Amino acid sequence: MVDTAQFDAIVVGSGITGGWAAKELTEAGLKVLMLERGRDIPHQTGYDTEMKKPWDMPFRGSGDAEEWKREHPVQMLNRHFTEYTQGHFVNDRLNPYQTAPGTDFNWFRSYNLGGRSLTWGRQSYRWSDYDFAANKRDGHGTDWPIRYEDVAPWYDKVEEFIGVAGAAEGLPQLPDGQFQPPWALNAVERATRERIRQRWPERVLTVGRTANLTQPLGERGQCQARSICARGCSYGAYFSTQSSTLPAAKATGNLTLVTDAIVEKVDYDPATNRVTGVRWVDSKDGTRSRAGARMVFLNAGSFNSVQLMMNSASEAMPGGLANSSGVLGTHIMDHPSTLSAMAIMPGFEDVTTYGNRPTGVVIARYRNMDEMDGEGHTRGFSFQGGALQSGWTRGKREPGVGVDFKDSLRPPGPWRVVLVAFADCVPRARNRLTLDRTKTDAHGIPQLNIAFAFGKEEQAALAQAKADSAAMLTEAGGHVIMGFDQPGAGGGAIHEMGGARMGWDPATSVLNRWSQAHDVPNLFVTDGAQMSSSACQNPSLTYMALTARAADRAVGLLKENLI
Amino acid sequence: MSQTEGSWQRRDFLRGAALLALAIGVPVAGVSLSDLDASEAPTDRQREMMRRVSQAVLPATDTPGAGDVGVGDFVILALAHGLDGTREPAGSAEIPWAVPQYQRRDGSVRYVDWLEGTLSRMGNGDFLRRDDAGLHDLVARIDAEAFAEGADAHPWRAIKGLILLGYYTSEVGGSQELRFELTPGRFDPALPMGPNTRAWSSDWTAVEFG
């Protein structure tokens, strides 16, 4: 056991929230150790496939399916997983997890510097009080101890730093932010927006709010409209740890970064009721190390932060670190999602686009706001998608061979609109994480066991979303050709969250309103584990805002010697 | 099948890979033909078949055809590595066109053998002796059968899909037949389009959602 230096703070994880914690804490003058379980991927020079063309790749970007089936049977189901990006995802064989009987859950992970900030979808939406008050209103889960006004200034801060391109729409359910100029809607989307609005004024189709720069920001360049972000972007044009928070943290001179360091335990001292440091395994040589700190931020990713707290059980805390409530691991969520409608859109045969816009469109939630008009559910759903012209792959579905067939695939194909629903996931105690006591990973660390199933509320929301989306696209002049109302496997939205929920009451929640453990004042959990409800928006912006807010609080408490 | 044709040796794999690399610029180190079991290795006749069938699907026009740019060997490689689900078991009910001799023990289809057998049967003899028009007719008949009502799982669909993949992700197919720009630099939301407008093979959304 190597006992290394003492730090002011240790941040476990280097993804979207770990980067923010490191930035905020180092900029406040704290000496910070950031531990990343995966390999280093340096900004710019580490993006090996960024400039590759399909014909540069052994399998033309489609990947070696036989290898994927062996090494990446879960990750290969992620639509961002390609031959170009597979190095940014875990090897499933080497990183196993278990699922409970009846659970169908795909856990998509990136164990590398930057975590999933390298491959995320970049959609950045504020939550509103329809979301923060949702649990209180319908009684599911526990009431959030915060409301929109608590988070709003932190949304401002985060948006200004990461750069979010978006259009202000004045919607109470999807509050406007500090936006860079929006990406443009294409001609079909503009028409669809107007036709929907004429019939249903409360249903607003707007361009996706995305963390891709439409203007340069500091050292970061403007987005080049490639839409190959998950390969890594040497322009620094989308928000990632590498492009954004890590350079800021490093610039302070206060950051120590260690990669290939799998944190297995957080040490707790019952005499002081404080965590005192963390222990980790070097993934390359198996050596074990420890570092001490005055406080610990867990940013390992929702499920891994919970796993770490469970694995840090001690004589004083036999049920897991900071788990006097017994709810650690419970109420996990992921957005139920499905392709609600796809429609062919005639009438736009004379128009096309140039460049790859790195975002789609969103139709903001409109159900169950001031009027409870959901059928069989009490929360919201929203749509993401867009209008696109089909490409050469349409030829796979079409008959024909020879010159005429080849010529038919030369121009862009018909326009179509795709709407994918994301619905609220009800927080349920039965959807939970536990440690598997019989199965460990290669380093002897217990594997996580996931028990998860969507319920009738999610089914009802997606059923209504299917009917609504078909009606909207028909109204917009489209011919609906398909649509689904059943969610895919859990984890499919890659928004797994919860497990160390925030709440008012230490008896029923793990964290207080500052993302701080009720039980252990110098322990903060600021990734998705802290979430008490799911909303139907993408959560990463909220994770970032809550992290910045928690870091500010932690620094204040530290300076006052209260932690 | 002769002894020679049936025993695709390691050096032949590497030679094949080198030829493929010359034809379409794929780095030899990245191609894994050498991993193939001998039983999965194509014969020279099968390679010629796949080259000519690819060319029949996407012939030379004002740009080279699929066979011209090495798509035949790419399809063989892709099938060996299971691209587009081609190493997944296929129930016999789903593939009434395939007789057991074309299925592996795990239920997956040996597409190359199936195509060779099917063309031989339809062609009443050595289909490779046919000229391009004659071979086109055979391929067109298979295609018509595969896209008939209710024929969704027809083996030809997988082969045709891989021919398209091989061609439009080759440098010729992707950047001459279609257009390619890795770094557009901007997004124009509305541009006029006419009958001669060529699609962008680098429109990843279009490729993904077809």
Side-chain angles (χ1 to χ4, degrees):
Chain A
M1 176 72 66
V2 181
D3 201 342
T4 52
Q6 179 77 16
F7 294 87
D8 293 321
I10 293 173
V11 175
V12 181
S14 69
I16 281 178
T17 63
W20 263 98
K23 170 188 171 315
E24 294 298 290
L25 296 173
T26 55
E27 287 182 344
L30 274 58
K31 297 292 185 188
V32 174
L33 171 65
M34 182 158 75
L35 296 167
E36 164 53 51
R37 67 179 296 153
R39 66 187 174 103
D40 185 16
I41 298 181
H43 187 40
Q44 299 174 322
T45 58
Y47 307 142
D48 298 335
T49 62
E50 180 187 1
M51 300 300 179
K52 300 285 190 190
K53 303 175 179 71
W55 48 90
D56 297 329
M57 304 297 286
F59 294 92
R60 308 293 185 82
S62 291
D64 182 345
E66 286 296 284
E67 182 205 343
W68 286 7
K69 210 161 57 176
R70 259 193 337 267
E71 307 294 331
H72 307 280
V74 174
Q75 308 307 308
M76 66 183 281
L77 303 173
N78 185 325
R79 64 172 284 247
H80 300 294
F81 184 91
T82 69
E83 189 174 8
Y84 304 100
T85 64
Q86 65 184 76
H88 294 171
F89 292 86
V90 301
N91 178 307
D92 291 307
R93 185 174 55 79
L94 301 178
N95 296 281
Y97 65 94
Q98 303 298 316
T99 54
T103 290
D104 188 9
F105 196 99
N106 296 317
W107 189 15
F108 297 123
R109 293 167 289 166
S110 298
Y111 291 170
N112 47 251
L113 184 66
R116 287 182 293 189
S117 78
L118 281 184
T119 59
W120 72 308
R122 309 169 307 285
Q123 295 295 293
S124 301
Y125 300 102
R126 294 188 177 206
W127 287 25
S128 75
D129 275 339
Y130 291 110
D131 306 307
F132 290 113
N135 286 355
K136 185 173 187 179
R137 181 160 80 160
D138 66 16
H140 291 296
T142 193
D143 184 26
W144 280 92
I146 54 175
R147 290 295 185 264
Y148 178 70
E149 65 176 7
D150 297 306
V151 193
W154 302 99
Y155 279 135
D156 289 343
K157 178 186 176 87
V158 168
E159 287 162 345
E160 286 173 351
F161 186 77
I162 72 173
V164 176
E169 298 282 3
L171 303 172
Q173 72 274 37
L174 204 64
D176 296 331
Q178 306 299 320
F179 295 144
Q180 289 205 339
W183 293 87
L185 296 176
N186 63 40
V188 180
E189 292 160 349
R190 281 203 312 271
T192 303
R193 169 185 163 102
E194 290 310 312
R195 290 168 186 172
I196 291 174
R197 187 157 65 176
Q198 284 168 15
R199 171 79 182 272
W200 297 281
E202 76 283 8
R203 300 183 188 183
V204 176
L205 184 155
T206 186
V207 73
R209 296 171 178 174
T210 186
N212 292 81
L213 303 180
T214 48
Q215 294 175 337
L217 182 64
E219 298 292 312
R220 298 169 52 202
Q222 183 174 330
C223 178
Q224 299 298 303
R226 300 185 297 174
S227 204
I228 50 175
C229 311
R231 301 183 190 184
C233 179
S234 57
Y235 297 90
Y238 74 90
F239 168 81
S240 67
T241 296
Q242 276 89 336
S243 72
S244 186
T245 45
L246 187 58
K250 282 182 171 176
T252 64
N254 290 328
L255 181 71
T256 300
L257 168 64
V258 178
T259 55
D260 305 295
I262 303 172
V263 177
E264 57 179 338
K265 281 187 191 303
V266 180
D267 286 340
Y268 169 73
D269 177 9
T272 59
N273 189 33
R274 298 289 189 274
V275 290
T276 57
V278 306
R279 297 163 188 267
W280 70 89
V281 186
D282 185 310
S283 64
K284 291 188 294 193
D285 61 18
T287 57
R288 284 178 149 81
S289 302
R290 181 188 185 281
R294 296 177 66 191
M295 63 181 173
V296 173
F297 268 63
L298 297 186
N299 301 97
S302 306
F303 286 8
N304 276 325
S305 287
V306 171
Q307 194 274 353
L308 183 52
M309 294 171 78
M310 289 176 165
N311 202 44
S312 300
S314 60
E315 195 174 330
M317 292 187 164
L321 180 62
N323 188 29
S324 66
S325 66
V327 299
L328 182 67
T330 66
H331 301 86
I332 59 170
M333 299 161 278
D334 179 53
H335 291 133
S337 178
T338 195
L339 171 60
S340 297
M342 180 186 286
I344 301 289
M345 303 297 285
F348 300 93
E349 290 74 18
D350 59 350
V351 64
T352 188
T353 58
Y354 174 74
N356 298 327
R357 190 183 60 192
T359 183
V361 304
V362 63
I363 298 177
R365 168 187 179 174
Y366 51 85
R367 294 286 185 192
N368 289 329
M369 297 204 303
D370 300 326
E371 176 190 351
M372 297 301 285
D373 55 358
E375 295 172 358
H377 63 106
T378 56
R379 301 203 174 178
F381 56 79
S382 66
F383 297 99
Q384 294 182 23
L388 58 108
Q389 282 176 294
S390 56
W392 63 263
T393 45
R394 70 185 182 276
K396 293 182 176 184
R397 300 187 305 273
E398 295 174 356
V401 299
V403 172
D404 291 347
F405 178 67
K406 184 182 175 189
D407 288 347
S408 75
L409 296 178
R410 183 173 270 195
W415 281 97
R416 62 184 66 191
V417 171
V418 173
L419 292 179
V420 175
F422 291 83
D424 255 87
C425 179
V426 170
R428 298 182 178 88
R430 69 164 189 263
N431 287 337
R432 67 180 301 170
L433 306 171
T434 52
L435 286 190
D436 193 303
R437 294 295 176 188
T438 61
K439 295 187 174 62
T440 59
D441 70 9
H443 304 287
I445 301 171
Q447 293 181 27
L448 207 52
N449 189 303
I450 302 170
F452 185 87
F454 292 118
K456 60 181 173 38
E457 291 87 353
E458 289 87 353
Q459 306 271 353
L462 292 185
Q464 190 169 32
K466 179 186 177 185
D468 283 4
S469 57
M472 287 189 281
L473 294 185
T474 302
E475 180 72 18
H479 305 305
V480 176
I481 55 175
M482 68 166 72
F484 304 96
D485 60 6
Q486 296 297 313
I494 328 178
H495 297 157
E496 79 277 6
M497 63 179 101
R501 69 183 184 182
M502 196 187 280
W504 294 100
D505 186 352
T508 58
S509 58
V510 178
L511 304 174
N512 68 16
R513 65 197 312 269
W514 302 104
S515 315
Q516 178 186 27
H518 285 298
D519 295 345
V520 184
N522 65 339
L523 176 66
F524 294 81
V525 184
T526 75
D527 57 20
Q530 68 187 312
M531 304 306 277
S532 302
S533 70
S534 74
C536 60
Q537 299 94 308
N538 308 57
S540 294
L541 187 75
T542 301
Y543 299 169
M544 289 190 254
L546 292 177
T547 299
R549 180 174 177 270
D552 181 70
R553 173 73 172 180
V555 169
L557 293 173
L558 197 70
K559 286 180 176 169
E560 294 174 28
N561 282 320
L562 293 174
I563 59 174
Chain B
M1 184 180 293
S2 72
Q3 180 78 24
T4 306
E5 288 173 330
S7 56
W8 176 281
Q9 300 297 322
R10 181 175 179 81
R11 68 174 182 278
D12 298 316
F13 291 134
L14 295 173
R15 187 186 65 193
L19 289 172
L20 182 59
L22 286 173
I24 55 175
V26 174
V28 175
V31 179
S32 306
L33 281 175
S34 57
D35 294 338
L36 295 187
D37 295 337
S39 62
E40 301 290 342
T43 64
D44 289 344
R45 176 178 169 79
Q46 287 176 326
R47 293 181 65 203
E48 175 66 3
M49 169 190 75
M50 206 57 92
R51 183 190 71 77
R52 290 194 59 197
V53 168
S54 298
Q55 189 79 357
V57 173
L58 299 169
T61 52
D62 56 346
T63 59
D68 298 330
V69 298
V71 170
D73 277 354
F74 173 78
V75 171
I76 291 169
L77 179 78
L79 288 168
H81 286 265
L83 269 66
D84 285 359
T86 50
R87 288 299 294 261
E88 298 301 315
S92 57
E94 295 172 355
I95 47 167
W97 307 270
V99 293
Q101 73 189 89
Y102 299 123
Q103 281 187 277
R104 301 183 185 87
R105 283 170 180 261
D106 65 7
S108 62
V109 176
R110 287 186 283 109
Y111 287 91
V112 178
D113 294 345
W114 171 85
L115 182 61
E116 185 178 25
T118 300
L119 285 168
S120 293
R121 191 175 69 252
M122 294 174 70
N124 283 326
D126 187 355
F127 58 87
L128 285 179
R129 290 179 179 276
R130 292 183 171 229
D131 62 13
D132 288 350
L135 187 61
H136 172 275
D137 289 345
L138 287 185
V139 173
R141 280 169 54 195
I142 295 176
D143 188 80
E145 180 182 278
F147 285 87
E149 185 80 23
D152 294 355
H154 197 288
W156 170 249
R157 290 192 176 211
I159 296 171
K160 182 179 181 180
L162 291 171
I163 291 171
L164 267 58
L165 172 67
Y167 185 66
Y168 291 108
T169 58
S170 72
E171 186 163 9
V172 164
S175 67
Q176 295 178 26
E177 173 62 19
L178 303 181
R179 293 184 286 175
F180 185 91
E181 179 53 75
L182 187 66
T183 307
R186 69 181 190 282
F187 174 66
D188 288 337
L191 295 172
M193 172 176 147
N196 297 320
T197 300
R198 283 183 296 146
W200 295 94
S201 70
S202 49
D203 181 346
W204 311 111
T205 308
V207 170
E208 181 176 354
F209 289 100

